[in-house]
Structures are given as C-alpha cells and as structure tokens.
Amino acid sequence: MSAVTQGALAAAVDLNGPGHYLNWGVIQISAANLVIIGVMIVVFVLALLLPFPKGRGRR
Amino acid sequence: MSIRDRADLVQPGESTEPDEAAGWTAAVRRRLVRELPPDTMLPDTQPKYVASWIYVFGVLTLAAFLVVLGSGAVLAIQGPSWWHTSDIGHFFNSLHLWSVELFMAFMVIHLWGKFFMAAWRGRRALTWITGAVAFLGSIGTAFTGYLTQQNLDSQWIAVQSKDALNAVGIGAYFSPMNFGQMLMWHIVLLPAFVGILVVLHVLMVRRRGVVPPLPLRDRPAEAEPGTASEAGREAEAAETEEQP
Amino acid sequence: MSRRSRAAEPDPYSFGSRPYDLVKEFTIALVAVLALSIALAAVFSSPDKRPVTIATWAKADSADFTATALAELDGTSGTAQYGPPYNNASEGQKLGPVGLANLMGVTRPIDTAQDFVIRPLRSAAQTAIVSSAVARYTAASGAQQNTWTGNYSNALDKANGDPTKIAPGDYGPVPTMLTALLAQARAGSLDGQLLTESGVFYQTDYTLPLLFLADGSYLANLAGQDHLAGTQWGMMNETGNYPGQAWLWLYTFWYQISPYNNSTNGDALVWGTMAVLSLVFVFLPFIPGLRSIPRYIPVYRLIWREHYRDLRARGGT
C-alpha cells in the first residue's frame, strides 16, 4: 500500500484515543454510545414532527 | 393511476380465463398469484394516511441491510484477515461497521414507530413477529461479527460471553472461542436467517398493506362509523383492534 | 384473531390513495444510506486493537503468566474449576432448579494440567533437566504433586510473584517446569502448541489459548482499561472512542444490579430474564394491556395528524 493511498484512506477524525465515559450511579456509558442513542431519539422526534411533503408521491 | 383501478388491463399471471391447469407447478402458480398479486407487491399508489417521515425508516433499514451485506461480501473476497493488513480492507471494514450502526439505528427507530402505531392490528401480528425475530437475529449476527474481528475486542468478547452461553447450556455446542464456527455463523447461517426473515417481513407488509390509523378515542363517530357509544367502542377496541 | 376482527379490518386503500413510486423510493434510500455509510467510514474509520498473544503476555507480565500456569497445573485456575462444558469440577450455573449447563454435559473436555502445561512441555525439544522434571512430576502421586505446587504457590505469593526471588523450599520439579514453559511462551512457541495439540494442522478453534489468557489477569486488565469489563457495561462498549453495541444496553444493565451482579448463577438469571422479555417483545401483539399502550400514548396522533385533520374537515362531527 503506497503512502498516498494510505493518506487518503486514513480517518479524518481519530477515535482511537482513550475512551470518554459518563457515570450516573450504576449507569456508565461511553460518550460515543450516548451520542448514537441521542441522535436516534432526535431523528425519531424529527420524523414525527417535521411536515411530510404533500406532493411527494408525484416525484 | 393504479393497475388496481383499471379493470380493462389484464395483469400478468391473471388470464381472462381461470387458471385450471393441473399439477404441482400450476397449483404453486395459482397460490402465488392469489397470495402475492403483482399490483400489491409493487404498488404505484399508497394509502393517503401514509404521510409521515416515520414511514421511511423501514426502507432505510432495508437499504442499510443491503449495504451491510455488500460491504461484508467485499470483506469475504480476501478472507477474514485481509482488513488488518490492507488500508482498502480496513476501509471496507469501517464501511461494514458504520452500515451496521445505521442498520441497527434505523431498525430501532422503525420499531419505535411501528410500536406507537400498534402496527400489529388487522392480521398483521406475523409481520410484527418476523420483524422482532429479525431484530433479535441481527443482534446475534452482530455478536458473531464482533467475535470474528480477530483483535483484542474479539478475544475479550469471546472469553466473557462464553460464561453466559455456558451458563444456559448453549456453550456446549456454540463456542464463541471457536473462530471457525463463529465465522460460519456470521457469514452464512445468521445472514441467511435474518435475510429470509426480512424478505418474509417485507412480503407481509406488501400483502396486508400499511396498517390503517388508530381510531381517535374522543371521536368514535369519526373513526368508526356504526359504533354508537364510547363504551361500545371500548369493548370493540378490546376485542378487535389490538388483536392481530 | 376473532371472526369479528377479520371482518372489521378495513382495506388500507379505502381511506383514499395517492401516487407513489416504491422502486424510486427504495433506490433513493439505498443511495442515501450508501453515501452516509461511506462518509462515516471515511471520517471515523474503525477500531482494530491488536490481539494479545501468549508471547506478549509472557513478556509483558511474566509473574502473571507463571502464576496462571501454576494454577493450571494444580487445578485451581478458573478453567480447572469451571465445570461443564469443560470438565466436571463444578455443577455449572442453574436457573432455579434447572442446571442447563450440567444437562448438556462436558462437550469440550479440558484437563488444564495436561493441556496447558505438561503436553506443551513434552511436545517441545527440552534439555535433559526439563524432561526429567516433567517425568518426575507426572510419576509422582497426586498428594506429592499438591505439596510441591502448594509450597511453590505460597512461595510465589511471598516473593510478589517473582520466581527469581523465591526462597529455597520443597517445590520438586515445579519451578523447572514453569521456567521452561515461560521460556516457551516468551519465544512464541506456546501460542502454536496450544493450537496444534489435538494433532491437527489446520486450526480454527482458539479455545485453549483464549482460556489460558482468560485465566490470567493480563487480558482482563487490558480490557478494563478500555471499559470492556462486565462491571463497566463492557458489552456495550468498544475500544477507544468508537460506538459499540448500544443495542445490548438492557442485557448489560442486568449485570449491574442485584441479584444478578452478586449471584453465582448471575449469567443464567440474566439469560432467563432476557428470554422472558424477548418472548414478551416478539408476542407483544397478543399480550392484553401491553398491546394497548400505543392507544394511551398519543404518538399516533402525530403520525396520522393529516389523516385526522382530513377526517375532521370532511366529517365535521
């Protein structure tokens, strides 16, 4: 593998550092998992609230 | 205009004369045409009440499933060790991981949506059941995937999960420390299991159609003409609506 | 289920319909999800922490390796005391009166002294001193073996696990054997020997080396640093800052609370609980009460708000 492709395929954001964790009593969760779950809830709420385009069927 | 509305159009597999041919093949054909008519399988209209973004999460889950299968297939071409030594392989591993995260997230949002629609109503219980079992099967598939990564994560998950599997006797025949066995489950048995369930699930959704809206509790007359009293509606609800 | 419900079920299209292009919607979804996956993969990549080998373990923490090897030899290691499916040293976990592990029996017999220590030593070329040490140990009575290993274990404890600082004592051939095994491990040959013990060439089963690693504390320490341990909700977690299997939150949760986290049958209890909950989930449509929850939480009014608005406009009731 050449250095060029290696550079091109390297991650833009390196998540390999020490993990970030949050604790509330018995609950312990990684920041990454919390973000994923948070995004899921936000997307769910948006899907319920955002108006659905009326003419969509005619695309 | 839907095929459904056009009586003049002869549909494929639906001759003007009744199909009365003898034999097993003809019987299967008749059954398929009856159970899965083409215009219900691939409709060009949908019920008017299907007007919410929540409805897109089913198709998003299906799309993510295909990306998972595709990226997994690329990883399979050069075998399970490839991605540790090749940057292209590592990229496809990343694609596999992130499409799985999307697949699970879309599936869970789809599940939330269908739960709040009580989407099992109207002979749709089997649709719910196939979806729920596909979800559990996906968890098993992801688990075996983590076991076959060939890294520290896999080692630790293998030695930890063996205790749980052994505790209930499963470990006697399904060993997370047996890499070859886990790889077979991950790339053959479980994807086939989940894939078949997904196909059945989608066919059932198409066959029964999207579940109609729940009747409004405070407006019985609107939702369900013919039910006189709220008490009567409640009884009706208890007996019929929730039931699959 | 009832005849009435079948009769009462309306045709979805009787509510009115609109044009819709299913194939187009699917194609757009596929392209969008593929693009999003590629973007996430390109931006965040994926974790790949190198696996531990017996060799890296023996080099990094020789005291832990030696203590573990001794425990395998004298039958006090986690694997030696495990029970089914590896041996009959214990009964295995029970779910109430049912011991499923015991019921399934020993399907993967493991004799830790033989499999982890004696056979690897015998299968490698050894000096005469090591060969005669192994011969002396295997020829000795069980009581004699226990005296040697017990004495050596106590001496190791006193020397903080460092075999070089051990006081003289009656250890028999044990120190010679463990020193030879450590050398094999550090050289990397034990990794291979544990995989080919059953006389095979092709190998896909890592049960022996993984159990050996798991009996030590080195692997567990590494996992703990990455928040992978069971008490850290580890099942949900991934190395580094990557998201893990968030969908295991409920399964992992039980391991954090009583009685699951302090029962000797904790795993079986968690599985029993999850089995019941999974059945409830799968058969939700048939469970009175639970299946009515959506009716009482008016999310459905949001989802179908246009439909209800249309009804109101049309019906005017």
Side-chain angles (χ1 to χ4, degrees):
Chain A
M1 183 65 43
S2 75
V4 178
T5 42
Q6 207 155 11
L9 289 171
V13 178
D14 187 8
L15 296 180
N16 281 306
H20 292 90
Y21 283 79
L22 297 108
N23 295 284
W24 297 276
V26 78
I27 295 174
Q28 183 172 151
I29 189 167
S30 73
N33 278 344
L34 195 64
V35 167
I36 295 265
I37 294 168
V39 167
M40 282 170 67
I41 292 171
V42 167
V43 167
F44 177 65
V45 170
L46 286 179
L48 295 179
L49 295 181
L50 285 183
F52 193 72
K54 283 239 157 146
R56 188 170 148 277
R58 247 163 240 102
R59 268 187 318 206
Chain B
M1 161 122 338
S2 150
I3 288 175
R4 192 181 272 276
D5 309 326
R6 295 176 59 176
D8 57 315
L9 200 94
V10 176
Q11 295 173 22
E14 191 181 297
S15 123
T16 43
E17 286 165 39
D19 179 2
E20 280 167 359
W24 294 9
T25 311
V28 169
R29 179 176 63 222
R30 273 194 297 274
R31 177 87 199 260
L32 281 179
V33 170
R34 191 176 67 241
E35 299 289 330
L36 311 169
D39 62 333
T40 348
M41 288 302 107
L42 288 172
D44 53 16
T45 61
Q46 67 183 358
K48 225 174 157 190
Y49 55 78
V50 181
S52 166
W53 284 109
I54 197 67
Y55 283 107
V56 305
F57 286 91
V59 72
L60 284 177
T61 308
L62 190 61
F65 184 55
L66 291 184
V67 179
V68 171
L69 289 179
S71 53
V74 173
L75 288 171
I77 292 173
Q78 292 204 57
S81 310
W82 174 52
W83 74 278
H84 300 281
T85 53
S86 152
D87 284 330
I88 295 171
H90 195 115
F91 174 76
F92 277 99
N93 179 75
S94 307
L95 190 60
H96 197 56
L97 168 72
W98 285 101
S99 54
V100 167
E101 291 284 345
L102 288 176
F103 171 66
M104 297 301 285
F106 290 150
M107 184 160 43
V108 169
I109 295 172
H110 174 65
L111 167 69
W112 291 342
K114 293 300 154 186
F115 172 76
F116 285 115
M117 294 184 209
W120 49 78
R121 290 169 296 132
R123 302 173 70 193
R124 290 177 180 83
L126 208 53
T127 315
W128 172 274
I129 290 172
T130 48
V133 177
F135 175 64
L136 299 176
S138 302
I139 291 175
T141 316
F143 168 66
T144 51
Y146 276 88
L147 287 172
T148 48
Q149 293 178 97
Q150 304 182 319
N151 54 23
L152 178 73
D153 215 23
S154 311
Q155 290 181 306
W156 181 249
I157 294 172
V159 298
Q160 285 293 95
S161 60
K162 75 165 194 309
D163 295 335
L165 293 166
N166 289 339
V168 289
I170 298 172
Y173 296 100
F174 181 90
S175 168
M177 296 177 295
N178 187 333
F179 170 77
Q181 187 188 17
M182 292 305 105
L183 187 64
M184 291 304 182
W185 277 84
H186 182 64
I187 69 172
V188 182
L189 301 176
L190 286 168
F193 176 72
V194 174
I196 289 168
L197 281 172
V198 166
V199 168
L200 289 176
H201 185 74
V202 172
L203 285 179
M204 279 178 218
V205 172
R206 294 272 46 106
R207 181 164 172 234
R208 296 269 183 244
V210 184
V211 73
L214 280 160
L216 282 180
R217 289 178 69 76
D218 51 322
R219 293 174 179 270
E222 278 177 8
E224 246 183 322
T227 356
S229 67
E230 178 71 11
R233 241 208 93 276
E234 288 287 336
E236 182 93 351
E239 249 182 275
T240 66
E241 283 147 18
E242 269 118 1
Q243 288 198 7
Chain C
M1 295 299 269
S2 69
R3 270 165 287 119
R4 282 177 71 198
S5 74
R6 293 194 178 206
E9 175 52 28
D11 175 5
Y13 285 91
S14 66
F15 293 82
S17 61
R18 73 166 103 210
Y20 165 63
D21 196 336
L22 184 139
V23 174
K24 188 174 173 183
E25 184 188 277
F26 173 75
T27 309
I28 292 170
L30 186 58
V31 171
V33 172
L34 183 62
L36 187 56
S37 304
I38 290 173
L40 288 166
V43 173
F44 296 118
S45 188
S46 51
D48 191 18
K49 236 179 186 177
R50 289 181 66 81
V52 173
T53 61
I54 304 272
T56 53
W57 171 31
K59 280 183 212 159
D61 194 347
S62 57
D64 183 47
F65 175 85
T66 302
T68 309
L70 179 62
E72 306 292 10
L73 186 63
D74 71 2
T76 55
S77 70
T79 302
Q81 314 245 303
Y82 199 94
Y86 310 126
N87 49 49
N88 289 310
S90 76
E91 263 208 295
Q93 292 193 24
K94 281 185 165 177
L95 188 55
V98 189
L100 285 170
N102 213 19
L103 215 66
M104 302 301 265
V106 178
T107 53
R108 179 69 169 89
I110 289 171
D111 175 339
T112 57
Q114 284 293 329
D115 293 344
F116 293 128
V117 183
I118 294 169
R119 204 170 297 134
L121 283 172
R122 278 187 174 149
S123 65
Q126 304 288 7
T127 61
I129 298 168
V130 175
S131 300
S132 63
V134 175
R136 188 177 162 212
Y137 184 84
T138 48
S141 69
Q144 176 65 71
Q145 291 175 344
N146 285 342
T147 309
W148 288 331
T149 53
N151 288 346
Y152 195 58
S153 177
N154 292 336
L156 267 182
D157 283 345
K158 278 184 201 145
N160 285 326
D162 186 349
T164 58
K165 290 183 184 148
I166 291 240
D170 178 20
Y171 313 129
V174 171
T176 311
M177 291 166 68
L178 294 185
T179 308
L181 193 70
L182 178 64
Q184 268 173 253
R186 293 171 75 113
S189 68
L190 190 54
D191 280 293
Q193 277 157 349
L194 289 176
L195 286 180
T196 51
E197 270 194 16
S198 42
V200 296
F201 177 77
Y202 292 104
Q203 178 55 281
T204 57
D205 183 358
Y206 290 78
T207 299
L208 285 182
L210 279 173
L211 283 177
F212 202 169
L213 278 169
D215 285 334
S217 55
Y218 182 69
L219 180 65
N221 286 341
L222 286 181
Q225 286 165 23
D226 266 315
H227 292 82
L228 300 179
T231 50
Q232 301 167 306
W233 297 65
M235 270 170 248
M236 277 174 83
N237 297 339
E238 177 57 89
T239 54
N241 275 303
Y242 287 94
Q245 302 184 71
W247 46 89
L248 292 179
W249 68 273
L250 185 59
Y251 178 63
T252 319
F253 164 73
W254 302 115
Y255 283 95
Q256 317 303 322
I257 61 164
S258 181
Y260 304 95
N261 64 355
N262 51 29
S263 163
T264 48
N265 295 314
D267 288 304
L269 288 178
V270 170
W271 269 70
T273 306
M274 287 308 287
V276 170
L277 292 177
S278 298
L279 286 174
V280 167
F281 168 51
V282 170
F283 294 106
L284 191 73
F286 303 98
I287 301 173
L290 287 182
R291 67 181 179 196
S292 300
I293 292 173
R295 197 174 290 280
Y296 298 103
I297 302 175
V299 172
Y300 70 91
R301 289 177 186 237
L302 272 175
I303 295 172
W304 290 309
R305 59 187 180 274
E306 279 190 31
H307 167 77
Y308 297 131
R309 203 180 299 142
D310 283 359
L311 272 185
R312 223 167 283 138
R314 240 186 305 138
T317 21

